[in-house]
Amino acid sequence: MGTFCSVIKFENLQELKRLCHWGPIIALGVIAICSTMAMIDSVLWYWPLHTTGGSVNFIMLINWTVMILYNYFNAMFVGPGFVPLRWKPEISQDTMYLQYCKVCQAYKAPRSHHCRKCNRCVMKMDHHCPWINNCCGYQNHASFTLFLLLAPLGCIHAAFIFVMTMYTQLYNRLSFGWNTVKIDMSAARRDPLPIVPFGLAAFATTLFALGLALGTTIAVGMLFFIQMKIILRNKTSIESWIEEKIEQLKQKADKRVRSVRYKVIEDYSGACCPLNKGIKTFFTSPCTEEPRIRLQKGEFILATRGLRYWLYGDKILDDSFIEGVSRIRGWFPRKCVEKCPCDAETDQAPEGEKKNR
């Protein structure tokens, strides 16, 4: 009993609830269908066990299934490794370099992030995977990556068996006419008949399993490629996302520095293609889902980018606006505005306007 308990590394039986989720149900269903059909097709119709090649093929199929399930359950139940609740570093001075999680009431270890699904801080968190209904992090990243590698390889082997089974079983049942191709599923083969005949139901099931195997190979193979890029760069998905977000914020800040202040000299209704602003403005309206903004004479606009006859920018709001309206931005005709003569002096907006923007 002690040996059995030492093999199972679940923290408690509550971890079994992770199986009651659409992700594990679909993943285990695909594994079960592809593995079972590959073994049945191989033994009954393609490569019988009484041959040396058939025995080796059958052992390989079992090997793929065992390794895939082992790494899958390992990634699911071992878990990513959570930061202990109410954790804090041994040296109190290190707390100044760490973030504090109010939910876990603990300091976040380096490269750890709080997962809203698991409601815990995860060590070296990469992402929350719905297919294992758990986070991918420090402790289970290796098992998760091996699962992503083995699943496409096993599906490629199964797909080969499905294709060869249908080919060998249908080869002598095809009859070609001038304009038609017929399949006689009741026709006997020249070889000795198998114990279970390859009928229409077996053909449909094999074809369905082939579709699952090919789809899994493509989808999971792409995920494996993404994970390999992450591993080689030594950056988790969240860290890559944070870097991209920082770069976007820098670009937005640079745009605001380079922005030009305009004063509205003509009213604009916010129409997509205004007829009263000229033919060129009408036909060169930006083809984008970004909104247009309504302008009134005397307002000020901070333009960040533009086209020949259109500009895009933020409306400079006054203190009289509602506090909930933080920014009003969009496209407007260049004809409706003119550059402020003292733009260099007005680049630094008043403190109240910065707060509203």
Side-chain angles (χ1 to χ4, degrees), residues 110-181:
R111 307 186 73 178
S112 64
H113 301 275
H114 185 84
C115 177
R116 295 181 181 179
K117 296 288 186 180
C118 299
N119 202 28
R120 290 287 301 273
C121 287
V122 179
M123 293 190 295
K124 198 180 178 182
M125 179 179 176
D126 186 79
H127 66 284
H128 184 90
C129 180
W131 302 109
I132 63 174
N133 195 20
N134 205 342
C135 281
C136 179
Y138 176 73
Q139 292 184 357
N140 64 349
H141 200 179
S143 298
F144 182 76
T145 306
L146 284 174
F147 166 73
L148 297 182
L149 171 64
L150 295 171
L153 294 178
C155 286
I156 291 173
H157 187 185
F160 173 78
I161 293 175
F162 298 147
V163 171
M164 294 305 298
T165 299
M166 290 188 291
Y167 172 76
T168 55
Q169 293 298 317
L170 299 178
Y171 180 76
N172 293 322
R173 305 181 188 206
L174 292 173
S175 60
F176 296 91
W178 287 103
N179 297 317
T180 59
V181 178

Side-chain angles (χ1 to χ4, degrees), residues 237-248:
S237 299
I238 293 181
E239 291 169 351
S240 300
W241 179 84
I242 291 174
E243 287 188 354
E244 292 178 0
K245 195 67 177 178
I246 292 174
E247 186 65 26
Q248 291 176 2

Side-chain angles (χ1 to χ4, degrees), residues 5-121:
C5 294
S6 63
V7 172
I8 299 178
K9 298 181 180 180
F10 306 159
E11 292 181 0
N12 47 55
L13 293 178
Q14 297 296 324
E15 292 291 324
L16 292 175
K17 290 184 178 180
R18 295 191 183 277
L19 293 171
C20 302
H21 185 262
W22 63 265
I25 292 174
I26 294 176
L28 293 175
V30 171
I31 294 172
I33 292 173
C34 292
S35 300
T36 304
M37 284 305 303
M39 294 178 188
I40 292 175
D41 285 3
S42 178
V43 172
L44 293 180
W45 300 302
Y46 175 57
W47 218 340
L49 286 177
H50 61 78
T51 62
T52 304
S55 300
V56 174
N57 178 66
F58 188 77
I59 293 173
M60 287 181 63
L61 287 174
I62 295 178
N63 185 48
W64 287 124
T65 305
V66 171
M67 289 193 300
I68 290 171
L69 290 176
Y70 172 78
N71 286 283
Y72 180 81
F73 287 125
N74 214 27
M76 178 188 294
F77 292 123
V78 170
F82 299 106
V83 178
L85 297 175
R86 299 179 179 81
W87 177 84
K88 60 182 179 180
E90 297 179 357
I91 303 176
S92 59
Q93 295 179 352
D94 293 341
T95 57
M96 62 185 298
Y97 304 107
L98 302 176
Q99 293 180 330
Y100 185 79
C101 178
K102 296 181 180 180
V103 179
C104 299
Q105 297 182 358
Y107 287 93
K108 294 182 180 180
R111 307 186 73 178
S112 64
H113 301 275
H114 185 84
C115 177
R116 295 181 181 179
K117 296 288 186 180
C118 299
N119 202 28
R120 290 287 301 273
C121 287

Side-chain angles (χ1 to χ4, degrees), residues 257-325:
V257 171
R258 297 192 304 267
S259 60
V260 181
R261 190 170 184 174
Y262 287 85
K263 182 179 180 180
V264 181
I265 59 175
E266 293 183 14
D267 292 345
Y268 170 55
S269 63
C272 181
C273 300
L275 293 171
N276 59 344
K277 301 303 178 185
I279 299 297
K280 293 181 179 180
T281 303
F282 177 82
F283 284 106
T284 58
S285 178
C287 298
T288 175
E289 296 181 355
E290 293 173 319
R292 276 66 169 166
I293 56 174
R294 183 177 299 177
L295 302 179
Q296 294 182 356
K297 189 175 180 180
E299 293 180 332
F300 291 92
I301 302 292
L302 207 60
T304 57
R305 53 191 168 97
L307 303 174
R308 187 173 182 180
Y309 298 101
W310 290 80
L311 290 172
Y312 184 91
D314 297 339
K315 184 182 291 188
I316 299 177
L317 303 178
D318 297 328
D319 294 336
S320 59
F321 277 76
I322 303 174
E323 295 182 358
V325 181

Side-chain angles (χ1 to χ4, degrees), residues 161-222:
I161 293 175
F162 298 147
V163 171
M164 294 305 298
T165 299
M166 290 188 291
Y167 172 76
T168 55
Q169 293 298 317
L170 299 178
Y171 180 76
N172 293 322
R173 305 181 188 206
L174 292 173
S175 60
F176 296 91
W178 287 103
N179 297 317
T180 59
V181 178
K182 296 181 180 180
I183 302 177
D184 186 4
M185 298 302 294
S186 62
R189 295 184 56 202
R190 298 175 185 174
D191 300 333
L193 289 175
I195 300 175
V196 179
F198 189 80
L200 184 61
F203 172 75
T205 307
T206 302
L207 190 62
F208 175 72
L210 175 62
L212 286 180
L214 294 178
T216 303
T217 301
I218 297 173
V220 181
M222 293 177 62

